[in-house]
Structure formats: C-alpha cells, structure tokens
Amino acid sequence: MKAFKNDETALHTHTDSTLTKFTLCALTLAVLLGVSGCSGDDGKDGAMGAHGVAGQDGADGANGVNGQDGTNGTDGSDGMDGNDGAPGFAAAAFILANNGQENAGTVNVINQNAAKLSSFNTGANEGVVFDSLGNLVQAADSGNGAISTVCQILSRGDGGMYNSDVDRMISGTNSTLVNPKGITISNKHGLIFAADFNGMQVTVFGKEAAGDVAPLASTVTDAKPWDLTYDEINDRLYVALTNGDVAVYDNYVMGGFAATPARTITPSDETGAKISVNLHGISLESHTNKLVLSDVGSASDATDGALFVISNASQADGMVTVDRHIAGPMSMLGNPVDISLTGSDLRVAEKSNDAVLVFSNIFAGDSGDIAPDLVTATTKPESITPTVMHNGMQDSSDSVMINMPLLGVAVSSNPAVLGATTGQISRINAPLTAELASYNASQTIESVAFDKSGTSYATYDNATTSIGGLVISNKVATHRDGDTYTTSQDRLITGTNTGIISPKGIDVASDNGMVFVAEFNATTPGILIFSSCATGNVSPLMTLTANGGARPWDVDYDPATDKAFVALTNGTVAVFDEVKSKLMAGMTTITGEDRLITPASGGTAFAAPTNLHGIDYDPLSDSLIVSDVGSAADATDGKIYVLNNASKASGLTNVSVNIAGPASQLGNPVDIMYTGNHLYVAEKSNGLVMRFDNILNSPSGDIAATVSYSFTAPESVAILPAWLNH
C-alpha cells in the first residue's frame, strides 16, 4: 500500500520484559510525573522480638494476683536500602539505526530510556539525521554508497518499509559515494553533508537531490572521516577523523566549501600527549561552544573506547587538553560508534557491547572510569539522532496569522512564446516596488508553491512530448538568486506513470508530506497527489476526480479540516472531504466530489463565461477566495469573489465580495494568494502582480488594486513568510 499509516499509530509503546525494575521506575516517573529520578525500595524491617509469656492465674479462693506481661523483645535491624533507580530523563524520541547481521537496514524508534517503540526498514544502515520537515535522511555503505530520504517516517507506523513512490535515494557512479558513515544537515542552506569513509572526503548535496547525480561539492580529508557536525550559525564544519583528529573548516559554505581545514584539534592529556586514537562520533553544544567526541580505539577491542569533552571548540587548535576523559571497564565503552547530545545528556550507540548508554550531565564531573547512568541492551546499534517534529508554522497557503510578516512574494513567468523569462521564479518585495531575486527552473513552468523549508514545487508542461511534471528546487524562497536548476540540488517528478500531462495549480501540505497537482488535460483531468519526497517516474498516491469530467485549474488543501477545494474551469468549486483519512485507509481514487459550490449573486449563478482559476481557503475566517478569468481571450472580464462559510457551503452560494471592472484591471487573474489580510493576484493578460488590501471586508464593484507591479506574463503567485529566513 502506498499510503502512509495513521499518525495516531505512528508510535506504539511496547513494554520490554527485560528492563530492570530500576529502569522501569525511571521510565514511569519521567513520563508520568516528570521528576528527575527515583530511589529503589528500602529493605524490609527486621522481625519484631516476641512478647514474653503471660504468668498463670493464682489459685481459686482468695483472688490471686494475675501474673504480669513479659518485656517486649527489641526491634530487629533495618534491612539494607535498595539500589537507586535510573535517573529520569526528559520524555523524548530518537531514531536508532541498526547494523548487525540480522537487523542491518532497519531503524528503531526509541524513547528517552532507549526502550523500543517501533521499527522501520529503511534499507540503509549508517548515519541518521532529520530535516526540518520531519523526514529521515540516512547514509548507507552496504553495496553501493547511498543517501536515502524517508518521508515523514514517524507517521508511517510500525513495520513500514522504504517505498520508491514515497521516498528517494542518491546513489550511483556520479554521486562518488563509496561508503558514507556519519551524516548531518544544514536546514538553513538546505544541504546534506556526508562523511565518506573510504572515499576520504566530505560529500555535499542539496537536500532535494535524487538519483545518480554529482555532488554539489566535495572536500578531501587528511584521514578517513567517520562523522561530522555543522554549526550553521557560524558556518563551521567539524569532521571527526579516524586518525584521532578533528578537522575544523571555518566559513565552509559561504566560503565555497573550503578545501583545507582552518584548524586541527587533537585531544590530549595534561602533559600534551595525544590520547585519541580512532574518532567516530561527534556532537557540538553550540550554546556553550563545547565538543563531545567518541573514540572506538581498536575496532576489534570491546573495552578500549573513550569519550572526550573539549571546551572553546570554535577556537581550539592543535594539541588540546580535554575537559573530561571517560574510559575503562565500568564505562562499558568499547566501540562507541555514534553519539547524540540532548542538553547535557549524551546517548552513545555502543556497538561492540550491544547497548545504548546514557551519560547524564556529560559536561560536569571527574574523568576516569565512569559508569553510564543508564544501559539499555540493543543489538548492534550504529547511529542515533533525536527525532524532529514539525516547526509549528503553517504552510503559507494555510496560515491563520493575520497580517503575516513577509519576505516577499514569488511570481512565476510563463509567456506564450518562449523568451528570456520562461521558467523564471522571481521574488518581489511585499510592497510590490522591486524585484529581489530570481531563479530559473529550466522548464516552462505554470504554478509554483513552497513547503515550510523554502523549497519550491513548480508544475510544468511540454507541448512537444505531452509529458509534464514537477520541478522541485532547493531553497528558492531564500537563497537561489541568479541560479538555475541543477541535479546536485534539485529534482524532477515526471514520466508516464505520474499521469502529469498538462498541470496547472499546485499546493503543498508539508506536515503530511503531500503535493496536490491540478491536472488539466481533457482526457484524464483530476487532482493528483504525490509524496513531497518522491522523485522520477512515480505513480500518484491518490487521484481526486470531479463529476462530469470537470477540469481543475487550481487546488487548495486545508490540513486542519482535511478538505481539498478545487477550482474548476466550468465556474464551480468541487470540495473533497476526508482526503488524507481516505488515503490512510488505503483508497487511491476518489471519484466525485462531496459538495459542489456554485458562486452566485442574489441566488443566481454568474452568467457565462465563467472560468475559475485561482483559489485560496482561509481557515481563520472560513472564507473561500476565488478568481474568475471569464473568457481567456478577454483582458477585461476577470473577477474576484469571496464566499463565506466555505467549509459547509454547497450548491448556489452568494458571494460576499465581487470585484470586477476596468479600474480593477482584472482580465485573466490566473492565480491568487491570501496573506491573512491582503490578496495578491497574478494578472496575466495585463502583465501585473496586484495586491488588494483587506479583501474580506472590501466593497464589491469596480475596485482598483491597492498596489500593482508590472511583470512579464505572471502565471502564479505565492507569499513567502518572513519566518522562512529564520
């Protein structure tokens, strides 16, 4: 089944019967009571001393005096106190990659105490990291080197598997990957960094890349690298080398991927002697500027592992005396192949001793043979990373924020005759006074939308081949000024399996990992839903088909109500309810809308020609805004409608706002987007990008736009929230 499983079933909690009483105590209190730890039970009190035997009664006659009770025995000694329970850790979830003979290619979702919650077969076996959208990125060194992106893994449920219609992979000769181990990501720049062990290099890809593609950059290292971490605030890359050194690259990305390190850190003791042998795991605590490193020593020795803490990481150079050095039999460090830092709690994937170890307060305490605060048995752990939940913001088309601060608006250009602006996505400032940047998607693009990471998704068609597609481009919202499409950063969804022939509007549901495409062709019109992580000639996960063969131009999906609003070129709006719910239930096709809305005035539908194009649903006001191009050949008959109570509207529905006329300059308003207050319009026939302020409360009639900006053949418009740049 291509569909993801229900979110509610993503994390099943299983009780591990092998957990000790003390681990269960910590788990229970940490989750239910939020305390920092719990003590073991006190031992039982010693037995009470026996009472003395009562004396016998005196003989009858004169009343005898009763004998007195004997003296109580003394209390027994207290029993020994029970052992303290494990410390309580803040509730959290982690991904643990496995790499044993029986479990390689799988990952476990574990809780803060390393208890297994669920498992997933990714097919990869090395380093793991999450991107900002909740997608798992994982390296693999089994067979050909590869980097996989598993879409919305926490929503996929227990026992799921990598699916080529949902997920994607970088692999092949052009990738230059040999056997990548550790991996990290820059969400700011949209980059993946892989430590390629036998390749002896750091390999860099744009996070949207897929297939057998060349890297964006490669940096050859002085020794074989195992892991790396990136400080994106200061643009500094730290690489753990298996010769015991850390290579530090300052100004790594903005400096054009520096070829040589600025400094080399060598962990040393107080005498200046090198104490590192074979570094593997590396974590940075950027707030305190400290590094934590793991050293496996000899890979064949299950007793010689170590941990190091180093201060002033950003300036450290040469032989650096470590703040803390943990090693020895009690530490259980043999082959600590990866580490993950959460606050001051360090989790260690200890491969040779088959355990996840937790050292709390790693930055404080003595050096020496220190026992971990928690040991949880697991088979051949290889890598560990905390899960990343969604960033809490809505997609720009779904925002419930009034007067949303904007970086600007993105506008695509699609002239009738190929020209200099064909395929161009421009960023214009919010006041519509200046162009800020532009990007060339290298396709005849129609509509463009953005996910919450700033990646653009644009539909395109090809009149020669009659095969269209999606071009997905990395960080267009914030970074790609003057750039063009490149396979080292970007990807395509296209091919006969996709069903994309003549696509128009598009919408992205980032948190659900779904992309909605309005397919306009006359034979198989409908809304095609794809995984946002997919690439190549993939099949849609689901198709929505309106009754009567009506052709869609645009779509807006509201994740809060699970409804898709579809603008049809026959002048109506089709509404499909419970879209994701039906997808999760295994449905791949929905034929026929649940409701059909016909915009009207005074109870009468608008007269032909009616030809709805742009559509935007505002969940805060429950309003639906649509644009009507009327006749495509008429540059004067465009309209904008606002409909209230849209979530329940059906049949003839009177509009609350109707803007049209010469002053409005609405001819072919092919696309719209609402900011929570203002409406941006791509007016193609008149070559304008326009903004109508306070649109929900606007009077009807021949209303001029508040501001306008001349633009060549604008085809679509998308707002860019200011938080995308954070």
Side-chain angles (χ1 to χ4, degrees):
M1 182 178 72
K2 298 170 186 169
F4 306 161
K5 292 187 178 180
N6 285 321
D7 291 349
E8 290 81 7
T9 62
L11 300 178
H12 301 291
T13 303
H14 300 294
T15 301
D16 186 344
S17 61
T18 65
L19 291 175
T20 66
K21 169 183 175 182
F22 311 124
T23 302
L24 285 173
C25 175
L27 173 61
T28 303
L29 288 180
V31 174
L32 298 181
L33 300 181
V35 299
S36 61
C38 61
S39 296
D41 296 331
D42 286 341
K44 294 182 179 179
D45 290 339
M48 183 72 74
H51 291 293
V53 179
Q56 295 182 352
D57 290 340
D60 290 341
N63 290 332
V65 179
N66 288 335
Q68 295 181 351
D69 289 340
T71 304
N72 288 340
T74 59
D75 289 343
S77 301
D78 286 343
M80 296 291 292
D81 286 344
N83 294 325
D84 286 343
F89 300 108
F94 299 82
I95 288 285
L96 182 70
N98 304 306
N99 198 14
Q101 286 187 338
E102 302 298 326
N103 63 5
T106 66
V107 299
N108 297 338
V109 181
I110 61 175
N111 69 5
Q112 67 276 9
N113 290 335
K116 179 181 172 182
L117 306 175
S118 63
S119 64
F120 191 94
N121 190 333
T122 63
N125 66 327
E126 289 289 345
V128 285
V129 69
F130 274 84
D131 70 14
S132 63
L133 300 179
N135 304 314
L136 180 70
V137 183
Q138 184 174 15
D141 71 348
S142 54
N144 297 323
I147 298 173
S148 297
T149 297
V150 181
C151 205
Q152 299 295 312
I153 190 170
L154 298 180
S155 299
R156 304 275 286 274
D158 193 8
M161 297 183 65
Y162 179 96
N163 182 339
S164 60
D165 279 341
V166 177
D167 311 309
R168 68 178 181 272
M169 183 184 300
I170 299 170
S171 186
T173 304
N174 291 326
S175 74
T176 72
L177 293 170
V178 181
N179 57 347
K181 301 291 186 178
I183 194 168
T184 192
I185 196 165
S186 167
N187 289 305
K188 177 179 179 180
H189 298 291
L191 299 176
I192 298 169
F193 307 94
D196 196 335
F197 178 67
N198 281 328
M200 280 191 64
Q201 65 182 17
V202 174
T203 311
V204 184
F205 295 92
K207 73 178 184 66
E208 300 302 331
D212 185 8
V213 298
L216 181 65
S218 298
T219 299
V220 176
T221 53
D222 293 334
K224 292 181 178 182
W226 192 276
D227 200 7
L228 67 182
T229 188
Y230 179 66
D231 174 5
E232 58 185 1
I233 295 175
N234 298 297
D235 190 19
R236 183 172 293 117
L237 183 71
Y238 299 86
V239 184
L241 303 175
T242 52
N243 67 353
D245 292 338
V246 177
V248 185
Y249 298 84
D250 293 334
N251 197 31
Y252 183 65
V253 175
M254 301 308 294
F257 308 101
T260 56
R263 297 181 307 288
T264 298
I265 300 172
T266 303
S268 308
D269 63 17
E270 292 179 351
T271 69
K274 180 177 180 179
I275 55 176
S276 56
V277 178
N278 186 356
L279 296 182
H280 272 45
I282 183 169
S283 287
L284 173 69
E285 212 301 301
S286 57
H287 297 295
T288 58
N289 195 22
K290 292 185 177 183
L291 277 179
V292 184
L293 306 168
S294 70
D295 192 325
V296 305
S298 169
S300 61
D301 190 332
T303 64
D304 67 342
L307 297 174
F308 307 121
V309 176
I310 292 176
S311 291
N312 194 29
S314 63
Q315 300 297 321
D317 191 10
M319 308 298 285
V320 177
T321 303
V322 300
D323 294 351
R324 200 175 185 201
H325 177 191
I326 298 175
M330 291 179 59
S331 74
M332 292 189 65
L333 295 169
N335 283 5
V337 287
D338 196 28
I339 57 178
S340 177
L341 191 60
T342 307
S344 62
D345 294 333
L346 185 76
R347 287 168 173 81
V348 181
E350 170 47 54
K351 190 172 183 180
S352 61
N353 291 309
D354 293 316
V356 172
L357 314 177
V358 185
F359 292 85
S360 62
N361 203 11
I362 188 64
F363 300 114
D366 296 331
S367 295
D369 189 5
I370 309 298
D373 295 282
L374 181 66
V375 178
T376 305
T378 190
T379 303
K380 296 296 175 263
E382 185 69 44
S383 183
I384 186 170
T385 190
T387 59
V388 173
M389 304 309 292
H390 303 128
N391 66 18
M393 305 301 291
Q394 292 83 17
D395 285 298
S396 58
S397 65
D398 306 314
S399 178
V400 295
M401 185 184 300
I402 298 175
N403 294 324
M404 179 192 300
L406 299 181
L407 291 176
V409 294
V411 185
S412 63
S413 179
N414 186 18
V417 178
L418 297 181
T421 62
T422 298
Q424 182 173 301
I425 301 172
S426 296
R427 301 202 307 269
I428 303 171
N429 64 2
L432 299 184
T433 58
E435 184 172 310
L436 304 175
S438 66
Y439 165 80
N440 190 336
S442 300
Q443 302 289 343
T444 53
I445 59 175
E446 292 279 344
S447 290
V448 63
F450 292 81
D451 68 19
K452 297 199 298 184
S453 73
T455 289
S456 66
Y457 297 72
T459 56
Y460 69 90
D461 57 15
N462 187 316
T464 302
T465 64
S466 296
I467 297 177
L470 300 180
V471 53
I472 298 108
S473 302
N474 188 34
K475 287 292 180 181
V476 170
T478 54
H479 285 73
R480 304 286 292 277
D481 185 17
D483 287 358
T484 59
Y485 175 92
T486 170
T487 57
S488 298
Q489 294 209 64
D490 314 312
R491 59 189 159 99
L492 299 176
I493 295 176
T494 188
T496 55
N497 292 339
T498 67
I500 304 176
I501 298 171
S502 181
K504 300 299 182 182
I506 187 171
D507 193 24
V508 179
S510 297
D511 293 347
N512 295 314
M514 298 191 297
V515 181
F516 293 72
V517 177
E519 173 51 51
F520 185 65
N521 85 84
T523 305
T524 56
I527 303 299
L528 308 177
I529 303 175
F530 295 91
S531 164
S532 60
C533 302
T535 190
N537 189 16
V538 297
S539 299
L541 304 177
M542 175 180 268
T543 302
L544 314 179
T545 305
N547 285 323
R551 300 168 71 182
W553 191 277
D554 199 7
V555 57
D556 189 19
Y557 173 71
D558 178 42
T561 59
D562 198 15
K563 300 179 190 297
F565 296 87
V566 181
L568 302 172
T569 54
N570 64 5
T572 62
V573 176
V575 184
F576 293 85
D577 296 331
E578 299 180 332
V579 175
K580 183 185 175 184
S581 296
K582 291 172 181 175
L583 177 62
M584 297 304 100
M587 294 179 65
T588 58
T589 301
I590 299 177
T591 302
E593 63 272 9
D594 293 280
R595 286 170 289 119
L596 190 69
I597 301 172
T598 302
S601 178
T604 301
F606 289 102
T610 55
N611 187 353
L612 299 188
H613 273 45
I615 189 166
D616 200 354
Y617 173 70
D618 175 40
L620 187 62
S621 64
D622 193 22
S623 299
L624 189 66
I625 310 171
V626 294
S627 66
D628 188 338
V629 304
S631 169
D634 190 335
T636 64
D637 67 342
K639 304 177 182 68
I640 293 172
Y641 307 133
V642 177
L643 297 89
N644 298 327
N645 304 313
S647 61
K648 297 180 180 178
S650 183
L652 286 173
T653 303
N654 289 330
V655 302
S656 60
V657 176
N658 176 10
I659 298 175
S664 74
Q665 294 187 282
L666 295 171
N668 284 1
V670 287
D671 196 29
I672 59 175
M673 185 165 280
Y674 180 60
T675 68
N677 192 17
H678 308 320
L679 183 74
Y680 286 90
V681 180
E683 168 47 54
K684 188 171 185 180
S685 60
N686 291 309
L688 295 171
V689 179
M690 302 189 289
R691 195 185 76 210
F692 290 84
D693 290 0
N694 197 19
I695 186 67
L696 299 186
N697 299 309
S698 173
S700 296
D702 190 5
I703 307 299
T706 307
V707 291
S708 297
Y709 182 83
S710 294
F711 191 87
T712 302
E715 187 69 49
S716 70
V717 62
I719 61 174
L720 303 174
W723 56 259
L724 285 171
N725 214 19
H726 295 165

